[in-house]
Amino acid sequence: MAAIGQIVEQTSGSDALTRARQRAALVPDCMVEARRIANTVIAGWHGRRKRGIGENFWQFRPYAEGESLSRIDWRRSARDDHTYVRDREWEAAHTVWLWADMSPSMMYRSSFAPVSKEGRALVIMLALAEILARSGERIGCPGVMDPVSSRNAAERLAATIMHTPPTAGLPETAMIRGISDIVLIGDFLDDADRIMERIAPLARRGLRGHVVEIADPAEESFPYSGRTIFTDPETGEKLVSGRAERLQEDYRRAYFARRESLGEALRRLGWSFVAHRTDQPASQALVAVHMYLSGNPPQPAGGVR
């Protein structure tokens, strides 16, 4: 049968620079797309705003008996028969660590998807950085960029990624201190137990985590038939099947069982889990992660949990 997906052969050490250049060429376009999506989503999102101590005005509200008279806004109260208090916005900026898997398996793209898994992961990460930076949060990337509090944090993250060699596996997190959020974006195709061996210690350290699994539609549906050669992009190993359609049922059972096992294990830790396909709008995953970060988890629907 005709090729359904583009398979990236294992990159040798001498070709590492070529791989880095390919990703560097991809990042600017991802940044443009990320900013477009962020501008669309941010219009309906109010971040972490709530009443508290701060410098910025938030809202007027009716005065409650027992509150300090010094908080009354007499100018606003003079407009009608009610007494109003001037609330300021609670400033609760903290650090959000963002990480996207750049391993070879993320470069896969089937004919059913408009982008590769790597491209979609970068767009979601950079769009999230853009929105959080506008909300005043500190943005960092484990092993790549120390936390910064800046309106151009997404641009700085994109520039840093362009010059960072690709790595495999989950990131090192020894540099993360204190209570923070960490968002991990990748395909997470390893055994769920092995992934949890790395993630569980992070939860015990007090990190609030959010995992976004990126999947190509062909990885879910397994639309292969006839003689098919499957190549592992991480190891280069090949599997030849004379009648691939016979593998579909067992493959899909194992694939979704792995996802369900990983999602349940993460939820037991108090972490969130979002499954996202590259043929769906990136904004779907972005909105779901925003809601988790804001403490308003979305209702389970489709691939979002």
Side-chain angles (χ1 to χ4, degrees), residues 94-115:
H94 75 300
T95 300
V96 180
W97 296 86
L98 307 175
W99 174 83
D101 185 3
M102 298 290 108
S103 60
S105 69
M106 292 293 291
M107 296 175 69
Y108 180 75
R109 172 191 173 187
S110 75
S111 58
F112 305 111
V115 296

Side-chain angles (χ1 to χ4, degrees), residues 6-187:
Q6 301 173 6
I7 303 297
V8 178
E9 299 293 345
Q10 187 179 20
T11 303
S12 64
S14 61
D15 292 332
L17 182 58
T18 299
R19 171 71 183 97
R21 286 173 175 168
Q22 290 174 342
R23 177 150 53 96
L26 177 67
V27 169
D29 288 341
C30 288
M31 186 67 232
V32 172
E33 178 67 6
R35 183 161 288 148
R36 183 190 68 79
I37 296 171
N39 288 335
T40 300
V41 172
I42 202 169
W45 186 61
H46 300 290
R48 303 168 185 274
R49 295 179 60 186
K50 61 177 72 174
R51 177 161 49 93
I53 299 174
E55 298 180 356
N56 299 321
F57 169 74
W58 182 27
Q59 66 177 3
F60 289 115
R61 63 174 177 80
Y63 170 79
E65 185 176 354
E67 291 188 272
S68 172
L69 296 178
S70 63
R71 299 192 61 198
I72 296 177
D73 189 289
W74 296 107
R75 180 176 297 179
R76 173 66 183 85
S77 301
R79 298 178 188 174
D80 53 40
D81 296 331
H82 299 284
T83 303
Y84 291 93
V85 170
R86 184 184 183 91
D87 273 339
R88 294 187 175 91
E89 182 181 342
W90 179 53
E91 297 178 347
H94 75 300
T95 300
V96 180
W97 296 86
L98 307 175
W99 174 83
D101 185 3
M102 298 290 108
S103 60
S105 69
M106 292 293 291
M107 296 175 69
Y108 180 75
R109 172 191 173 187
S110 75
S111 58
F112 305 111
V115 296
S116 68
K117 293 188 292 181
E118 180 186 50
R120 180 53 55 84
L122 283 170
V123 165
I124 293 174
M125 179 175 68
L126 294 173
L128 190 56
E130 179 78 11
I131 292 179
L132 292 172
R134 295 187 194 182
S135 300
E137 307 288 18
R138 293 186 293 272
I139 307 301
C141 183
V144 175
M145 186 180 80
D146 292 333
V148 296
S149 180
S150 171
R151 287 295 293 262
N152 70 340
E155 293 181 4
R156 294 171 65 175
L157 177 57
T160 304
I161 290 173
M162 290 173 64
H163 300 93
T164 302
T167 57
L170 292 173
E172 293 297 328
T173 57
M175 77 294 294
I176 299 179
R177 297 287 186 271
I179 298 177
S180 306
D181 281 271
I182 184 168
V183 180
L184 303 174
I185 308 170
D187 53 17

